Amino acid sequence: KLETLSFEFKDRIISVQTISDNWKDRWYDSFKGYAINEHIYIFPAETGIESSVYVSYVNTYKYVIPLYIKHAFGDGHHPTTQQRIQFLYEYTTQWTTNSIATLSMCDIGTGSGILAICAYKFGIQSIFAFDNDPIAIERTKENILLNNCSTIQVKNKNVDEWHSDDQYNIITANILTESIIQNIKIIKNAMHKDGIAILSGISQQWHDEICDVLINNNFKIEKYSSLNDWNCYQLCHKKTM
């Protein structure tokens, strides 16, 4: 059901259509999961991990990630989530099993915890995830428990309040573009000198501006993808001669 809201902004009346909670709940109930690629499947835990459907996916995919997805962003269907998982998967496949276990990762704007949980399944053991939405944090904790990801640490925090004493091998972020731009130095300072950052949640209209910000902060764009007008960037520190 669509509901129309109207408000005044700079002498203009703007109407916005919103989706009612009942409609969203019905969508969640009908959601059957999503294949990120031929190796990874995101499965709605509400369907039941004891079900024959879940077992069939386990027998088909290397990684099946059951998630409680209601009221938290990150069911694997949105392009921003798909691209980050794909980039993270491709990066981790370059490491041996023993080496990947030594990596550390921070997930900014964790939502349902989907990226942090995927990272754990891929072999990363030291993971810190945070979000400014307390409901998302509760959902993330449920999903961590469901997936037996005991070493993931989670906090309710805003990115502009985050000043890390640690440096991470991998930083992933799916937050508003304005927030990425405003906090790019915080992200940069938390990145290990040989680490990478995977940034998404950036629409195509921001591409030129975000590239300028990244270059001006001495990042090198190692990889870039665009899916349905949503962009994802894999970055490293630009090496000085």
Side-chain angles (χ1 to χ4, degrees):
K1 178 184 176 181
L2 290 176
E3 299 175 347
T4 301
L5 305 176
S6 296
F7 59 93
E8 187 174 351
F9 178 72
K10 293 184 178 180
D11 300 325
R12 300 174 66 183
I13 301 297
I14 300 175
S15 295
V16 178
Q17 286 189 315
T18 62
I19 301 174
S20 70
D21 288 340
N22 288 340
W23 189 95
K24 287 187 287 186
D25 286 342
R26 287 197 299 271
W27 184 89
Y28 288 131
D29 292 340
S30 66
F31 181 64
K32 303 304 181 185
Y34 197 84
I36 302 297
N37 57 32
E38 66 270 28
H39 305 289
I40 307 163
Y41 195 90
I42 309 302
F43 183 82
E46 289 85 355
T47 302
I49 59 174
E50 305 295 332
S51 67
S52 59
V53 176
Y54 178 76
V55 172
S56 69
Y57 286 126
V58 170
N59 292 332
T60 304
Y61 293 87
K62 183 176 181 180
Y63 304 104
V64 178
I65 316 292
L67 293 176
Y68 295 111
I69 59 173
K70 284 188 177 181
H71 311 303
F73 184 84
D75 56 26
H77 187 262
H78 197 277
T80 58
T81 308
Q82 293 177 41
Q83 292 175 98
R84 280 193 308 152
I85 294 175
Q86 184 64 32
F87 277 19
L88 181 63
Y89 173 75
E90 291 173 0
Y91 181 75
T92 55
T93 56
Q94 302 172 23
W95 298 76
T96 65
T97 301
N98 289 337
S99 295
I100 196 172
T102 67
L103 299 180
S104 60
M105 179 178 131
C106 178
D107 184 29
I108 303 171
T110 194
S112 66
I114 186 170
L115 256 291
I117 292 167
C118 282
Y120 185 93
K121 299 285 187 179
F122 298 161
I124 300 172
Q125 297 297 301
S126 177
I127 303 168
F128 173 56
F130 67 89
D131 200 291
N132 64 359
D133 181 357
I135 296 176
I137 292 300
E138 290 305 310
R139 184 64 75 224
T140 295
K141 289 179 178 178
E142 291 177 353
N143 287 326
I144 287 171
L145 184 64
L146 178 66
N147 285 274
N148 299 312
C149 303
S150 57
T151 63
I152 299 177
Q153 298 181 350
V154 185
K155 285 190 177 180
N156 184 197
K157 186 181 289 290
N158 288 311
V159 63
D160 55 6
E161 299 171 345
W162 176 56
H163 299 283
S164 177
D165 293 328
D166 299 316
Q167 288 192 316
Y168 295 90
N169 301 108
I170 303 168
I171 295 178
T172 63
N174 185 19
I175 54 179
L176 294 174
T177 306
E178 297 97 322
S179 187
I180 290 176
I181 291 173
Q182 291 167 5
N183 296 286
I184 195 66
K185 293 188 185 300
I186 293 176
I187 295 171
K188 180 181 175 65
N189 292 336
M191 228 175 102
H192 188 274
K193 64 181 179 66
D194 295 320
I196 66 163
I198 302 173
L199 309 181
S200 66
I202 303 164
S203 64
Q204 181 60 36
Q205 66 182 3
W206 287 92
H207 176 70
D208 291 342
E209 183 170 346
I210 197 70
C211 285
D212 287 342
V213 169
L214 297 175
I215 291 169
N216 290 337
N217 282 274
N218 292 318
F219 283 109
K220 176 184 176 183
I221 301 174
E222 289 188 317
K223 189 186 295 186
Y224 157 78
S225 71
S226 183
L227 181 61
N228 297 337
D229 289 328
W230 290 98
N231 296 346
C232 186
Y233 306 81
Q234 180 173 310
L235 318 171
C236 67
H237 292 291
K238 188 181 293 182
K239 306 299 181 184
T240 56
M241 301 301 292

